[in-house]
DNA sequence: CCACAAATGCAACAGTGTTGCATTTGCAGG
DNA sequence: CCTGCAAATGCAACACTGTTGCATTTGTGG
């Protein structure tokens, strides 16, 4: 069963895209759906390997780059570099929930893991400084990469 | 005049390399000298473009990668990814002092401010994860940029 | 000085991301 | 429903960053 309309909590990706003022294409809908369903930021390579939706042809490599850039340009996705130097993308709305916990960034595979711990309270800032974001990142090797390296 | 011996504050790069237990080669000395003289972390491309020291041939591209990796492996250099996804290297001594305190990164001017506070202890990690580095960064506007924006 | 492991130079390759251009498609307006 | 056109796509070719294999050279302990 395919949902045909929006709910307050989960507007359809196609509606978000239309509201952003760009054309609604199959590629953009599929990519934004994937970003919104993902639990971690996804790299281009990971998204290229996504199972092609029923009957849909795989998205062209270059088109995927351009779809991702367009989603970033219209504010629906965020782009950040991982520890290996590869860009990772996330749905813009997903950022809020990740502000509440700490992340582990694997220097081996670039993966981002959400930890249960919440970030510690920020220290006092010098006069006039305005805090916008607290980033408490742990870096190292995840279980998979650590096993390979040992 | 070429210094032939170390001082307590500035040991020769060749002595640091020897003490690290690896062979002292022209490439390693030149690269470590460059890293120690640099005021910001340098990328591979930037170091490849360094003026070749008097009468010295330019370092081979692949050798430069391997020299950088060897300096990182023996603890004399640090490797981190920049915002474009390119690796940058710095002399270890230059960063060691920054490991003991928290940083504020201004999203307005890009400035990095060293705060007095020390980073909080890391939370427990999932089984098999290996912690290498803790990064507690605060992001926002510094006093100068905040005044301009208001 | 010698032997030998470590380091180098070179060629080829892999992964990530970009550009140019011809073709297709979303969609606004009739 | 058409139709036109800007926007988006697919494909080939390219640029940049980094790695691997292998023959040759070099640093260093003895
Ligand atoms: Mn998270
Ligand atoms: Mn500092
Ligand atoms: Zn990993
Ligand atoms: Zn600032």
């Amino acid at each position: 069963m395919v949902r045909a309309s929006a709910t307050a909590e989960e507007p359809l990706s196609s509606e978000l895209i239309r509201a952003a003022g760009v054309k609604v294409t199959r590629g953009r809908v599929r990519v934004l759906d994937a970003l919104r369903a993902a639990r971690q930021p996804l790299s281009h390579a990971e998204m290229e390997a996504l199972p092609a939706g029923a009957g849909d042809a795989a998205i062209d490599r270059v088109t995927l780059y351009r779809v991702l850039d367009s989603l970033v340009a219209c504010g629906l996705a965020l782009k950040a570099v991982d520890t290996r130097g590869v860009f990772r993308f996330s749905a813009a709305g997903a950022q809020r929930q990740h502000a509440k916990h700490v992340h582990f960034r694997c220097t081996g595979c670039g993966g981002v893991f959400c930890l249960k711990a919440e970030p510690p309270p920020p220290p006092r800032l010098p006069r006039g400084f305005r805090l916008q974001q607290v980033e408490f990142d742990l870096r190292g090797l995840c279980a998979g990469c650590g096993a390979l390296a040992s």
Side-chain angles (χ1 to χ4, degrees), chain A:
Chain A
M1 168 197 175
V2 173
R3 221 173 10 144
S5 70
T7 64
E9 294 79 14
E10 295 182 59
L12 289 177
S13 292
S14 57
E15 290 167 352
L16 291 174
I17 293 166
R18 194 180 313 278
V22 296
K23 288 186 180 176
V24 179
T25 66
R26 241 171 313 149
R28 282 182 182 148
V29 173
R30 273 173 61 190
V31 169
L32 185 53
D33 277 344
L35 291 181
R36 295 172 82 198
R39 287 208 286 279
Q40 309 95 14
L42 300 176
S43 67
H44 174 277
E46 286 164 354
M47 306 192 73
E48 208 180 357
L50 282 180
D56 278 334
I59 301 181
D60 176 75
R61 224 174 61 83
V62 175
T63 300
L64 178 53
Y65 277 114
R66 294 199 268 227
V67 162
L68 287 167
D69 282 345
S70 75
L71 292 178
V72 170
C74 69
L76 292 174
L78 296 177
K79 182 180 186 179
V81 177
D82 75 13
T83 55
R84 291 176 325 175
V86 174
F87 290 117
R88 285 178 176 269
F89 301 83
S90 56
Q95 284 311 103
R96 242 186 308 284
Q97 70 193 64
H98 291 290
K100 294 261 188 294
H101 53 253
V102 174
H103 293 101
F104 183 93
R105 298 176 181 272
C106 178
T107 55
C109 65
V112 179
F113 301 84
C114 305
L115 303 184
K116 289 288 188 295
E118 67 182 35
R124 186 188 313 279
L125 293 179
R127 183 167 200 79
F129 279 52
R130 299 184 192 179
L131 185 64
Q132 291 174 336
Q133 184 191 356
V134 175
E135 192 171 292
F136 190 31
D137 283 346
L138 308 183
R139 298 184 184 228
L141 291 176
C142 74
C145 292
L148 294 179
S150 57

